[in-house]
Amino acid sequence: MMNDLSIPILRFLASSSLDYGYIFGWIITGFFGLFALVYAFLKWQRKTSLNWLKAASRAKKRAWKKLKVPLSHHTWMDDVASGGLPSTCCVCLNSLIYPQTLGTKSLSRLPIHRCSVCGVASHFRCSQFAAKDCKCVVQAGYDTIQHHWSERWFNVDDNPEMSAFCFYCDEPCGIPFIDSSPAWYCLWCQRIIHVKCQVKMSEESGDVCDLGAHRRVILSPLCVKSAESEMLSSITEEIIASTVRGQIRRKRHRNRHGSNRYINGKEPESFAIKRAVLNVLKGLVGLQSSSVKKSNDPFLNAGKVLSKRGSLNDLASKNNEADFCDKKLKKYTILDLPSDARPLLVFINAKSGAQNGPILRRRLNMLLNPVQVIELSSSQGPEAGLDLFSNVQYFRVLVCGGDGTVAWVLNAIERYNFESPPPVAVLPLGTGNDLSRALHWGGGFSVVEGQGALSTFLHDIDHAAVTMLDRWKINITEEGSGGEPSKVKSKFMMNYLGIGCDAKVAYEFHTNREENPEKFYSQFVNKLRYAKEGARDMMDRACADLPWQVWLEVDEKDIEIPKDAEGLIVLNIGSYMGGVDLWQNDYEHDDNFNHQFMHDKMLEVVCVTGSWHLGKLQVGLSQATRLAQGKVIKIHVSSPFPVQIDGEPFIQQPGCLEITHDGQVFMLRKASGTEGPRGHAAAIMSEVLVDAECKGVINASQKKLLLQEIALQLS
């Protein structure tokens, strides 16, 4: 039938005198028409989504009058409008990127205000009019946690969640390709619900929130109390009472001696002091509101921000300083937690690796209680968070940073002498991230990128296995010159120590990053710069005399260093230089050394023959030379040599490095992945031991011994 119909059509086209240009014009017109239809459909989709968003916003304002939910003011931070984040103002519901700036690359990143707690954004001029509807992180005194419903600012404009279902009626919360279903989501449990379904659920079973899938790792706001507010309230009440009594006395005084407020033309000293104290208290209360009101005109602020090169970075740095001041002003105390709670204390180093810390912090604030998320800086160390959790018996720690940040936090935990030290997990933000790789947490920030990745990561932490990691003390002795006594200082090692060519490359990289931190914005770029320094060292061969300037002693035995060696590496874990296994347990060797473990109280020593050898190790084309295995390592140096400890390089003057065992620390190892059933078994047994300690069946020292035995048996 089709053949019978197509033959006459072809004959007509062949015999007709139609102009081919005319046909081509119609084809082009059809393409433009199709393009116009697609554009109109996308505009209609955007308009429909925005209309439903406005409907959800109006419904929420009506619902707040009925719902008894503790609310808080937004914590506005200076930011820039960009893709992947809310592009609609939460106050005026208009676009954060103005149409006239869409074609301008510099102005498309218009400065805005963004809440660091719930993630909503607004224009500079609108933020002061924002409703008090941010989640309240301090709810001590309340009986239950109420759902904190909010509009779905995320996934409204781009990448709609096609798998999002209402947890009440199990129906989709968005029509495919439109995302037009009006829905709320809870800022605590992250569940999504239709606006109409929320009314039905509230009438049937109430609006109590159980904190959702991450309830064990979230610090419940019911257990958080603001110490500053209580102190400020008591001081204010005392001053107000004193002021009232003073006013009564002054009124009596005026009735007796007249109504003059001033005596001999001067204000009484006591009244002036009280008024000054009241002004200080008013200033503290109005500190946040004044910081928000200082900039109202977005175009004026945009001109100021974008008028100078690098001003956006200046804005971010000032923003971090302001946030740090805010953190120092706010003090919290943690009350009694549920027996099954294992709250997560998070430390973030914003300067690690590609400097993804600020983005990660905002995402964690939305999933957890912002009180439990601490940003590390030169002015604020891990002690700020450990002091807050000092009375919490069982909690876990997540370190977001590189290997140096992990060592920083572990050293701080060691100083607190916890009876049951918290186990530590690692979210890799650095360049090498070797400890994170050894514990199966991944090798870069990509492990938490993508939809739902960070939520999955938190789930893995909650179900992780507790393991042990050896901690080593390094006594560094520098020979004195001119009859001066030798200088001795101590450092601690978790991963590895390198001396020679690898340490020289790390030292040059570290020096360049300290001088130009803005150039080290990506983990991939950082590795390229590492490769550049390695190529330069291949030409210089500055450590070629290492066998004659350095000698090695292991367990009081001298170990011969090969003549072609340009670097010595002392290993505690099975990952080096971004995932390279130098000891190679899985391969057969013709020596009598044992397998390497991070908790066997033994160190391994290997040597490399230069930067070219390091490059071949990186791609799996060579093996390191295994030299020794022991418990006490001594490295004697007769001339200045570069040394790096866990990625932190320095120049070692003539002297000695002595490495000895200094106890073990608790770490969290990801249960799923390559280990399979063994990892899950270790996680279950770890949880059983913690519960046994909680119920008084065993004590902390017995739990530690059992965990050590489990780690050895399952390795």
Side-chain angles (χ1 to χ4, degrees):
M1 183 69 183
M2 287 297 297
N3 293 333
D4 296 341
L5 182 63
S6 60
I7 292 175
I9 294 176
L10 292 174
R11 288 178 178 177
F12 170 75
L13 292 175
S15 60
S16 63
S17 58
L18 293 176
D19 186 7
Y20 288 103
Y22 180 76
I23 297 176
F24 182 75
W26 271 106
I27 294 175
I28 296 298
T29 304
F31 276 115
F32 275 107
L34 180 62
F35 177 79
L37 287 175
V38 173
Y39 178 77
F41 173 78
L42 294 176
K43 292 286 289 184
W44 172 73
Q45 175 190 356
R46 165 70 183 175
K47 184 178 180 180
T48 305
S49 299
L50 190 57
N51 287 339
W52 280 112
L53 183 62
K54 292 180 179 179
S57 180
R58 289 191 296 267
K60 189 186 73 171
K61 292 179 180 179
R62 292 192 298 267
W64 283 137
K65 299 177 181 179
K66 300 179 181 179
L67 300 176
K68 297 181 180 179
V69 181
L71 304 174
S72 179
H73 290 287
H74 291 288
T75 305
W76 296 117
M77 311 287 288
D78 295 332
D79 201 357
V80 290
S82 59
L85 293 172
S87 59
T88 304
C89 176
C90 67
V91 180
C92 66
L93 301 181
N94 291 322
S95 176
L96 292 170
I97 304 177
Y98 292 92
Q100 60 266 29
T101 65
L102 289 177
T104 308
K105 183 177 180 181
S106 59
L107 287 179
S108 64
R109 296 177 60 82
L110 192 70
I112 59 173
H113 273 150
R114 192 180 305 280
C115 180
S116 63
V117 175
C118 63
V120 302
S122 76
H123 300 108
F124 272 15
R125 69 168 182 267
C126 296
S127 58
Q128 59 180 325
F129 304 109
K132 182 183 178 182
D133 59 357
C134 191
K135 68 179 181 182
C136 183
V137 300
V138 179
Q139 299 183 23
Y142 289 84
D143 296 329
T144 58
I145 303 173
Q146 299 292 314
H147 282 295
H148 191 117
W149 302 115
S150 178
E151 300 91 338
R152 295 177 59 202
W153 299 108
F154 290 86
N155 299 318
V156 169
D157 305 316
D158 304 301
N159 300 322
E161 291 181 340
M162 308 308 294
S163 61
F165 290 87
C166 173
F167 85 98
Y168 178 80
C169 67
D170 291 330
E171 294 294 330
C173 285
I175 301 175
F177 308 111
I178 297 178
D179 197 26
S180 61
S181 178
W184 290 335
Y185 87 103
C186 178
L187 294 178
W188 286 112
C189 66
Q190 311 300 317
R191 294 190 179 101
I192 300 175
I193 192 172
H194 293 119
V195 174
K196 294 181 179 180
C197 292
Q198 187 276 331
V199 178
K200 297 178 182 179
M201 184 196 69
S202 181
E203 294 175 351
E204 293 177 3
S205 58
D207 217 36
V208 178
C209 179
D210 63 355
L211 298 180
H214 303 308
R215 64 179 65 91
R216 292 214 328 155
V217 298
I218 295 177
L219 178 61
S220 173
L222 299 178
C223 303
V224 181
K225 187 176 183 181
S226 178
E228 248 71 8
S229 61
E230 181 180 0
M231 182 183 68
L232 187 62
S233 176
S234 61
I235 295 175
T236 305
E237 289 177 0
E238 182 180 351
I239 292 178
I240 290 176
S242 176
T243 305
V244 171
R245 291 193 298 268
Q247 289 176 350
I248 295 174
R249 288 195 298 268
R250 285 193 298 275
K251 185 175 182 180
R252 292 174 181 173
H253 181 77
R254 286 196 299 269
N255 291 336
R256 294 178 182 176
H257 305 286
S259 58
N260 286 333
R261 178 180 169 184
Y262 297 90
I263 301 176
N264 297 328
K266 296 183 179 180
E267 187 177 22
E269 184 178 358
S270 61
F271 183 84
I273 293 174
K274 291 178 180 178
R275 189 177 66 174
V277 175
L278 283 173
N279 289 335
V280 171
L281 291 174
K282 291 179 181 178
L284 287 173
V285 173
L287 181 63
Q288 183 176 1
S289 61
S290 63
S291 65
V292 171
K293 294 179 180 179
K294 64 183 179 181
S295 54
N296 298 329
D297 189 349
F299 297 104
L300 179 61
N301 285 281
K304 291 180 179 179
V305 172
L306 300 173
S307 59
K308 296 181 180 180
R309 181 180 180 183
S311 54
L312 285 176
N313 294 331
D314 298 337
L315 182 66
S317 62
K318 293 179 181 178
N319 181 38
N320 292 335
E321 293 175 5
D323 180 64
F324 168 69
C325 294
D326 184 65
K327 281 286 185 183
K328 296 296 285 184
L329 284 175
K330 294 181 180 178
K331 295 292 183 181
Y332 302 99
T333 55
I334 298 178
L335 307 179
D336 295 333
L337 289 169
S339 58
D340 63 337
R342 302 289 183 269
L344 187 66
L345 175 59
V346 183
F347 293 107
I348 300 178
N349 189 349
K351 294 184 178 180
S352 291
Q355 304 178 15
N356 291 311
I359 299 174
L360 180 62
R361 181 186 177 189
R362 183 165 58 240
R363 293 172 61 189
L364 286 170
N365 281 345
M366 295 175 64
L367 293 174
L368 305 174
N369 191 329
V371 173
Q372 64 190 112
V373 182
I374 309 296
E375 183 169 333
L376 301 176
S377 65
S378 57
S379 304
Q380 179 171 268
E383 293 77 13
L386 295 175
D387 287 338
L388 176 64
F389 277 67
S390 59
N391 295 324
V392 180
Q393 186 174 9
Y394 302 108
F395 67 98
R396 295 183 169 190
V397 173
L398 172 62
V399 180
C400 307
D403 292 332
T405 306
V406 177
W408 185 14
V409 174
L410 288 174
N411 290 336
I413 293 175
E414 189 73 16
R415 291 194 298 269
Y416 273 72
N417 295 320
F418 287 102
E419 182 181 2
S420 182
V424 179
V426 184
L427 197 162
L429 294 183
T431 302
N433 304 310
D434 289 293
L435 183 57
S436 174
R437 296 174 191 270
L439 296 170
H440 307 300
W441 292 115
F445 185 67
S446 59
V447 297
V448 294
E449 290 181 322
Q451 184 175 342
L454 184 57
S455 181
T456 303
F457 193 88
L458 294 176
H459 175 271
D460 291 337
I461 291 176
D462 190 25
H463 296 82
V466 180
T467 188
M468 311 301 298
L469 174 67
D470 289 327
R471 187 170 185 260
W472 300 87
K473 183 178 181 181
I474 305 175
N475 290 323
I476 304 173
T477 304
E478 294 184 2
E479 298 177 356
S481 58
E484 296 181 358
S486 300
K487 299 178 182 179
V488 181
K489 58 182 179 180
S490 298
K491 291 181 178 289
F492 293 94
M493 182 189 79
M494 309 289 178
N495 301 348
Y496 43 71
L497 176 147
I499 179 170
C501 60
D502 70 307
K504 180 179 181 298
V505 173
Y507 183 78
E508 296 295 337
F509 176 85
H510 177 77
T511 302
N512 292 333
R513 184 166 61 178
E514 290 293 318
E515 294 176 353
N516 304 290
E518 70 280 356
K519 295 182 179 180
F520 297 80
Y521 55 85
S522 165
Q523 185 182 22
F524 176 73
V525 172
N526 292 351
K527 289 186 176 182
L528 289 180
R529 294 185 181 278
Y530 250 116
K532 176 184 176 182
E533 297 299 334
R536 182 180 300 173
D537 182 71
M538 281 191 292
M539 304 299 295
D540 297 341
R541 297 198 64 198
C543 301
D545 59 343
L546 182 140
W548 294 273
Q549 303 294 334
V550 176
W551 61 94
L552 175 65
E553 183 181 339
V554 178
D555 291 341
E556 299 182 351
K557 296 180 180 179
D558 292 334
I559 304 298
E560 183 180 358
I561 301 175
K563 302 302 182 182
D564 59 346
E566 295 188 19
L568 290 178
I569 303 171
V570 182
L571 302 169
N572 184 44
I573 63 174
S575 178
Y576 173 78
M577 202 170 59
V580 179
D581 183 8
L582 295 181
W583 195 250
Q584 296 182 335
N585 286 340
D586 298 333
Y587 290 82
E588 294 184 1
H589 301 275
D590 56 357
D591 50 40
N592 296 322
F593 296 127
N594 298 323
H595 281 196
Q596 179 191 39
F597 299 106
M598 65 175 66
H599 44 67
D600 59 357
K601 302 178 183 179
M602 297 281 286
L603 289 172
E604 291 72 35
V605 185
V606 300
C607 73
V608 294
T609 58
S611 298
W612 177 249
H613 190 193
L614 289 174
K616 291 194 292 184
L617 289 171
Q618 186 76 41
V619 296
L621 296 178
S622 183
Q623 295 181 359
T625 303
R626 311 205 307 183
L627 295 181
Q629 193 175 37
K631 297 182 178 180
V632 179
I633 310 293
K634 291 184 179 181
I635 301 176
H636 302 272
V637 182
S638 61
S639 63
F641 256 88
V643 175
Q644 60 105 353
I645 300 174
D646 290 346
E648 303 297 327
F650 61 94
I651 299 299
Q652 169 65 30
Q653 299 300 322
C656 177
L657 302 169
E658 183 179 8
I659 310 173
T660 56
H661 193 260
D662 192 62
Q664 293 179 316
V665 294
F666 290 96
M667 302 298 295
L668 288 172
R669 186 178 73 250
K670 187 177 179 180
S672 59
T674 57
E675 293 191 353
R678 284 190 177 187
H680 291 291
I684 293 172
M685 286 186 283
S686 300
E687 188 63 28
V688 169
L689 291 178
V690 173
D691 289 338
E693 183 188 6
C694 182
K695 295 176 181 178
V697 179
I698 59 175
N699 56 33
S701 59
Q702 291 172 331
K703 184 191 74 172
K704 183 176 181 180
L705 291 174
L706 290 172
L707 284 174
Q708 290 174 341
E709 188 64 26
I710 290 173
L712 288 172
Q713 293 298 326
L714 293 179
S715 296

